[in-house]
mmCIF file of all heavy atoms in Angstrom:
data_model
loop_
_atom_site.group_PDB
_atom_site.id
_atom_site.type_symbol
_atom_site.label_atom_id
_atom_site.label_comp_id
_atom_site.label_asym_id
_atom_site.label_seq_id
_atom_site.Cartn_x
_atom_site.Cartn_y
_atom_site.Cartn_z
ATOM 1 N N LEU A 1439 10.800 -22.538 -3.389
ATOM 2 C CA LEU A 1439 10.230 -22.972 -2.117
ATOM 3 C C LEU A 1439 11.114 -24.030 -1.452
ATOM 4 O O LEU A 1439 11.337 -23.991 -0.241
ATOM 5 C CB LEU A 1439 8.805 -23.485 -2.316
ATOM 6 C CG LEU A 1439 7.768 -22.414 -2.666
ATOM 7 C CD1 LEU A 1439 6.441 -23.064 -3.080
ATOM 8 C CD2 LEU A 1439 7.563 -21.469 -1.494
ATOM 9 N N GLU A 1440 11.602 -24.930 -2.276
ATOM 10 C CA GLU A 1440 12.454 -26.005 -1.763
ATOM 11 C C GLU A 1440 13.747 -25.430 -1.145
ATOM 12 O O GLU A 1440 14.256 -25.952 -0.163
ATOM 13 C CB GLU A 1440 12.805 -26.946 -2.917
ATOM 14 C CG GLU A 1440 13.080 -28.360 -2.483
ATOM 15 C CD GLU A 1440 13.428 -29.199 -3.701
ATOM 16 O OE1 GLU A 1440 12.687 -29.155 -4.693
ATOM 17 O OE2 GLU A 1440 14.492 -29.891 -3.636
ATOM 18 N N ALA A 1441 14.262 -24.343 -1.768
ATOM 19 C CA ALA A 1441 15.497 -23.736 -1.253
ATOM 20 C C ALA A 1441 15.218 -22.790 -0.062
ATOM 21 O O ALA A 1441 16.133 -22.226 0.497
ATOM 22 C CB ALA A 1441 16.175 -22.942 -2.381
ATOM 23 N N GLY A 1442 13.944 -22.611 0.284
ATOM 24 C CA GLY A 1442 13.596 -21.747 1.407
ATOM 25 C C GLY A 1442 13.492 -20.282 1.051
ATOM 26 O O GLY A 1442 13.525 -19.407 1.922
ATOM 27 N N LEU A 1443 13.322 -19.984 -0.245
ATOM 28 C CA LEU A 1443 13.119 -18.602 -0.676
ATOM 29 C C LEU A 1443 11.609 -18.327 -0.761
ATOM 30 O O LEU A 1443 10.824 -19.216 -1.031
ATOM 31 C CB LEU A 1443 13.719 -18.363 -2.062
ATOM 32 C CG LEU A 1443 15.226 -18.492 -2.211
ATOM 33 C CD1 LEU A 1443 15.621 -18.204 -3.667
ATOM 34 C CD2 LEU A 1443 15.978 -17.549 -1.270
ATOM 35 N N VAL A 1444 11.262 -17.051 -0.566
ATOM 36 C CA VAL A 1444 9.879 -16.626 -0.779
ATOM 37 C C VAL A 1444 9.724 -16.211 -2.230
ATOM 38 O O VAL A 1444 10.366 -15.255 -2.668
ATOM 39 C CB VAL A 1444 9.532 -15.411 0.129
ATOM 40 C CG1 VAL A 1444 8.107 -14.930 -0.158
ATOM 41 C CG2 VAL A 1444 9.740 -15.734 1.580
ATOM 42 N N PRO A 1445 8.895 -16.921 -3.015
ATOM 43 C CA PRO A 1445 8.715 -16.518 -4.407
ATOM 44 C C PRO A 1445 7.718 -15.368 -4.518
ATOM 45 O O PRO A 1445 6.718 -15.323 -3.804
ATOM 46 C CB PRO A 1445 8.152 -17.790 -5.072
ATOM 47 C CG PRO A 1445 7.591 -18.609 -3.975
ATOM 48 C CD PRO A 1445 8.201 -18.162 -2.663
ATOM 49 N N ILE A 1446 8.029 -14.443 -5.405
ATOM 50 C CA ILE A 1446 7.112 -13.334 -5.754
ATOM 51 C C ILE A 1446 6.726 -13.574 -7.211
ATOM 52 O O ILE A 1446 7.543 -13.363 -8.107
ATOM 53 C CB ILE A 1446 7.772 -11.972 -5.578
ATOM 54 C CG1 ILE A 1446 8.221 -11.779 -4.127
ATOM 55 C CG2 ILE A 1446 6.837 -10.857 -6.011
ATOM 56 C CD1 ILE A 1446 9.015 -10.524 -3.889
ATOM 57 N N VAL A 1447 5.532 -14.069 -7.429
ATOM 58 C CA VAL A 1447 5.131 -14.484 -8.775
ATOM 59 C C VAL A 1447 4.311 -13.375 -9.435
ATOM 60 O O VAL A 1447 3.290 -12.929 -8.910
ATOM 61 C CB VAL A 1447 4.324 -15.787 -8.730
ATOM 62 C CG1 VAL A 1447 3.966 -16.233 -10.131
ATOM 63 C CG2 VAL A 1447 5.134 -16.882 -8.015
ATOM 64 N N CYS A 1448 4.780 -12.956 -10.611
ATOM 65 C CA CYS A 1448 4.139 -11.820 -11.335
ATOM 66 C C CYS A 1448 3.130 -12.336 -12.360
ATOM 67 O O CYS A 1448 3.394 -13.277 -13.088
ATOM 68 C CB CYS A 1448 5.190 -11.002 -12.062
ATOM 69 S SG CYS A 1448 6.499 -10.401 -10.991
ATOM 70 N N VAL A 1449 2.018 -11.640 -12.379
ATOM 71 C CA VAL A 1449 0.962 -11.895 -13.378
ATOM 72 C C VAL A 1449 0.471 -10.549 -13.884
ATOM 73 O O VAL A 1449 0.645 -9.539 -13.250
ATOM 74 C CB VAL A 1449 -0.204 -12.720 -12.787
ATOM 75 C CG1 VAL A 1449 0.232 -14.085 -12.344
ATOM 76 C CG2 VAL A 1449 -0.859 -11.961 -11.623
ATOM 77 N N GLY A 1450 -0.177 -10.548 -15.040
ATOM 78 C CA GLY A 1450 -0.712 -9.300 -15.550
ATOM 79 C C GLY A 1450 -0.955 -9.368 -17.055
ATOM 80 O O GLY A 1450 -0.270 -10.082 -17.758
ATOM 81 N N GLU A 1451 -1.959 -8.611 -17.475
ATOM 82 C CA GLU A 1451 -2.379 -8.641 -18.867
ATOM 83 C C GLU A 1451 -1.668 -7.580 -19.702
ATOM 84 O O GLU A 1451 -1.184 -6.586 -19.176
ATOM 85 C CB GLU A 1451 -3.904 -8.446 -18.951
ATOM 86 C CG GLU A 1451 -4.374 -6.978 -18.851
ATOM 87 C CD GLU A 1451 -4.289 -6.375 -17.455
ATOM 88 O OE1 GLU A 1451 -3.969 -7.101 -16.501
ATOM 89 O OE2 GLU A 1451 -4.547 -5.143 -17.343
ATOM 90 N N THR A 1452 -1.660 -7.770 -21.034
ATOM 91 C CA THR A 1452 -1.156 -6.773 -21.938
ATOM 92 C C THR A 1452 -2.254 -5.760 -22.250
ATOM 93 O O THR A 1452 -3.425 -5.967 -21.890
ATOM 94 C CB THR A 1452 -0.717 -7.424 -23.290
ATOM 95 O OG1 THR A 1452 -1.887 -7.983 -23.896
ATOM 96 C CG2 THR A 1452 0.335 -8.491 -23.102
ATOM 97 N N ALA A 1453 -1.866 -4.673 -22.935
ATOM 98 C CA ALA A 1453 -2.838 -3.650 -23.295
ATOM 99 C C ALA A 1453 -3.942 -4.256 -24.210
ATOM 100 O O ALA A 1453 -5.116 -3.961 -24.020
ATOM 101 C CB ALA A 1453 -2.140 -2.502 -24.018
#
Side-chain angles (χ1 to χ4, degrees):
L1439 289 170
E1440 208 181 310
L1443 296 180
V1444 178
I1446 300 175
V1447 181
C1448 305
V1449 296
E1451 81 286 354
T1452 63

